[in-house]
Amino acid sequence: MKLQRKNRRALALGALAVSGALALTACGSDDTGNSSGGDSSASAQAGNVKCDDAKGQLQASGSSAQKNAIDAWVKQYTAACKGVQINYNPTGSGAGITAFTQGQTAFAGSDSALKPEEVEASKKICSGGQGIDLPMVGGPIAVGFNVPGVDTLTLDAATLAKIFDNKITHWNDEAVKKLNPGAKLPDLKIQAFHRSDESGTTDNFTKYLKAAAPKDWKYEPGKSWEAEGGQSAQGSSGVAQQVKQTSGAISYFELSYAGDGVKTVDIKTEAAEPVKATIENATAAIGAAKVVGTGKDLALELDYTPSAEGAYPIVLVTYEIVCDKGNKAESLPATKSFLTYMASEDGQGVLADAGYAPMPEEIITKVRETISSLS
């Protein structure tokens, strides 16, 4: 098992893959009931964690997309830094940024980079500085489905746009049948679920729909769901649970939530073959991301319409939002210590086992440099 985990980690790093409140302690588990994080390697990795002067409670909130990654990181980190308790509340990216700009948390997780107005708001709590984006974890946004009798399903951007805009309402619609000639599609009503909370996952999913199917998706991308119709649920775990228990359901969530037998859609792109939602396939798309932030901000520009074979197009990067200057003195040591571990080789190495993709070396190197300069 140790050898298998080592090989998986080496593969992930070698490929440069970008690929209430929850009090997380050394015995973390995700909100789908699956244990997360390292196992027998915990003690070895814990030995490489630099606790420095970190102590006390560290409050953070935001992206539910990275919740399972946070679980894995906290398990390893708190094994070494026993004087620190990390409380991460997966409220969604929008709520996380709001809490951060109101001074309630030391950092926030967001699946979208800060908007100009959010940067301005952050200056009120970042004394002499501002909030910046630190890309920490990547991966595919899977489209999960529950159609009785159908194990493999292929959809393209236009069909997905029509499904989530309530323009295609039954699974045996001609557009779906054309993409799945060998499937026995039932005359079953489609139950499309979207996020009820402000979500960076929604932002990235709708950016994909807008970029890849502009004629069929008329809404502007954003953290809030704009299309009419459909049903909603809270958080990634909420929509994933609805897919699992609802016949005819379809929704979008991070690949790490596609457990317990939840099937995922293969996406038809300009490539010859449909692309499966895997970390490796997301790498081909996210690996082309460019840093577009200025100064210490490391916001990325993603490609939602890749044409290369095996490039999965629906992807996201989760950022940790933190003050470049003016962090609270009482939480700064723990913030820097924990973020340093997350960005370390060991921290990035646990991501593949948790269903995520690590950042490419050229990006994570900049992240490490920026973390060391936080004040």
Side-chain angles (χ1 to χ4, degrees), residues 40-354:
S40 59
S41 63
S43 58
Q45 294 202 20
N48 295 325
V49 177
K50 295 181 179 180
C51 303
D52 296 326
D53 298 321
K55 59 183 178 180
Q57 290 194 359
L58 188 61
Q59 305 291 337
S61 66
S63 165
S64 64
Q66 70 169 358
K67 188 236 180 244
N68 294 336
I70 291 284
D71 279 4
W73 282 323
V74 168
K75 183 173 184 178
Q76 305 285 16
Y77 179 82
T78 54
C81 304
K82 300 183 184 301
V84 181
Q85 181 183 11
I86 300 171
N87 303 298
Y88 184 81
N89 190 354
T91 55
S93 298
I97 290 176
T98 297
F100 173 73
T101 57
Q102 291 179 348
Q104 299 171 10
T105 54
F107 71 90
S110 176
D111 307 317
S112 299
L114 290 168
K115 296 179 180 179
E117 60 268 27
E118 293 169 337
V119 173
E120 284 301 312
S122 72
K123 293 179 180 179
K124 297 178 181 179
I125 55 99
C126 299
S127 180
Q130 66 179 48
I132 56 173
D133 301 287
L134 300 179
M136 197 68 75
V137 55
I141 299 174
V143 179
F145 69 97
N146 181 348
V147 182
V150 179
D151 293 325
T152 302
L153 184 70
T154 296
L155 297 174
D156 58 16
T159 307
L160 279 170
K162 292 174 184 176
I163 286 174
F164 281 93
D165 196 24
N166 206 33
K167 297 296 191 297
I168 292 178
T169 59
H170 285 75
W171 282 111
N172 64 344
D173 186 275
E174 288 300 321
V176 182
K177 290 168 65 175
K178 184 177 180 180
L179 289 165
N180 299 273
K184 295 181 179 179
L185 296 163
D187 182 12
L188 177 66
K189 182 175 175 58
I190 295 175
Q191 307 287 345
F193 286 88
H194 57 265
R195 291 279 292 272
S196 60
D197 52 320
E198 285 197 351
S199 162
T201 312
T202 294
D203 190 20
N204 284 278
F205 182 63
T206 53
K207 281 179 179 177
Y208 160 72
L209 294 178
K210 187 67 173 180
K215 294 181 180 180
D216 299 295
W217 192 255
K218 304 298 184 181
Y219 311 96
E220 288 302 314
K223 294 186 181 73
S224 297
W225 188 258
E226 298 294 334
E228 298 180 1
Q231 303 177 66
S232 64
Q234 174 80 21
S236 295
S237 60
V239 291
Q241 183 63 25
Q242 290 297 331
V243 170
K244 181 179 178 181
Q245 67 187 22
T246 306
S247 179
I250 185 171
S251 189
Y252 56 93
F253 40 79
E254 297 69 43
L255 183 62
S256 64
Y257 288 91
D260 298 326
V262 174
K263 297 181 285 289
T264 60
V265 172
D266 298 341
I267 304 298
K268 182 72 175 74
T269 65
E270 294 300 318
E273 297 295 328
V275 187
K276 294 185 178 298
T278 68
I279 292 172
E280 292 77 14
N281 290 344
T283 298
I286 304 179
K290 299 178 181 179
V291 176
V292 293
T294 57
K296 293 184 178 181
D297 187 86
L298 299 176
L300 302 177
E301 182 178 79
L302 300 173
D303 180 7
Y304 296 99
T305 58
S307 58
E309 294 294 329
Y312 186 79
I314 319 177
V315 294
L316 62 73
V317 167
T318 300
Y319 302 93
E320 311 312 327
I321 310 296
V322 67
C323 296
D324 58 353
K325 298 178 181 179
N327 289 279
K328 295 179 180 178
E330 62 270 22
S331 59
L332 179 60
T335 298
K336 291 184 69 171
S337 175
F338 185 49
L339 291 178
T340 296
Y341 168 66
M342 291 162 65
S344 70
E345 181 178 347
D346 284 339
Q348 291 289 295
V350 304
L351 291 176
D353 287 337

